[in-house]
Amino acid sequence: MESLGSLSGTPWVYAIVGLSVVLDVFVPILPSGVLVITAATTAAGTAADVTASAHGENHLGEMLSLVLCAATASVLGDMVAYRLAWRGGDRFDRAIGRSRRLAAAQERLGAALTRGGGGIVVLARFAPAGRSVVSLGAGVAHRTVREFLPWSALAGLVWAAYSVSLGYFGGHWLGTSWISAALSVFALFVAGSVAAFLMRRPERRATAH
């Protein structure tokens, strides 16, 4: 938090956050969400100590920039994974086929995109490793860019806005502390758990039938 705090307001914080979000689709264990929240928390905590309206507007602009940075990086990472899976379709298809869970997720994704119900892409953005499954699955299934890109953009924007909002309100109310960051990260994990549960519901209904 201290390291990001020292970079707050500089282009470096956006570079670090953006790179982490892009690579997160390939290495889901990267703490991209934690970095986004921490960056927002440190900026908001600093803003809470400043009473001048000009500085307040400055930090509001910083939050909007952080949302745009994280959302853009999210879409960029999705599209890179999508293109790689498209070109190496057979290899990725065999890898996905070895996992019943991944195969089921790919099938649900294909059906959802075909009938225009790409909300599953938004849910998957919050679920652990869901973004990777969706991006690679869309590429393997050769879904068109027109089918996948709008939902990827919406998912990235919703996820970025939610993460930055958690960090902002946590830092604004509790200041720049590990407590505010921890509570915000916990709220992000709760959203991920709910998203994972909602994504598994169709599979459970199919199994019950």
Side-chain angles (χ1 to χ4, degrees):
M1 184 173 288
E2 290 178 359
S3 300
L4 278 180
S6 65
L7 297 174
S8 182
T10 70
W12 285 108
V13 70
Y14 302 112
I16 293 171
V17 168
L19 183 61
S20 175
V21 173
V22 168
L23 295 179
D24 181 63
V25 71
F26 301 103
V27 189
I29 60 173
L30 284 178
S32 60
V34 176
L35 281 177
V36 172
I37 286 175
T38 304
T41 299
T42 54
T46 304
D49 298 330
V50 179
T51 56
S53 61
H55 288 286
E57 292 174 1
N58 241 4
H59 284 285
L60 181 59
E62 191 173 345
M63 294 299 164
L64 293 176
S65 298
L66 191 57
V67 169
L68 291 177
C69 172
T72 302
S74 178
V75 176
L76 179 61
D78 286 356
M79 294 308 297
V80 170
Y82 164 81
R83 282 299 184 187
L84 288 175
W86 180 293
R87 293 179 180 178
D90 292 339
R91 184 171 53 193
F92 281 103
D93 204 18
R94 287 194 297 269
I96 289 177
R98 286 195 290 268
S99 170
R100 187 173 60 182
R101 179 175 296 181
L102 292 180
Q106 181 188 1
E107 184 179 347
R108 291 199 304 272
L109 170 66
L113 290 176
T114 299
R115 64 174 180 265
I120 191 173
V121 179
V122 180
L123 280 177
R125 188 59 186 86
F126 289 84
R131 176 190 179 201
S132 304
V133 171
V134 163
S135 300
L136 295 174
V140 169
H142 285 190
R143 297 295 161 185
T144 65
V145 173
R146 184 179 298 179
E147 286 178 319
F148 179 62
L149 180 57
W151 289 106
S152 172
L154 178 61
L157 184 61
V158 171
W159 172 82
Y162 179 73
S163 301
V164 171
S165 297
L166 288 177
Y168 173 77
F169 288 112
H172 191 73
W173 292 332
L174 301 176
T176 305
S177 67
W178 69 268
I179 296 178
S180 60
L183 288 175
S184 299
V185 170
F186 176 74
L188 183 64
F189 280 118
V190 168
S193 299
V194 172
F197 172 78
L198 292 175
M199 289 179 67
R200 284 196 297 266
R201 280 202 312 175
E203 185 178 349
R204 288 177 177 175
R205 285 198 297 266
T207 303
H209 291 152

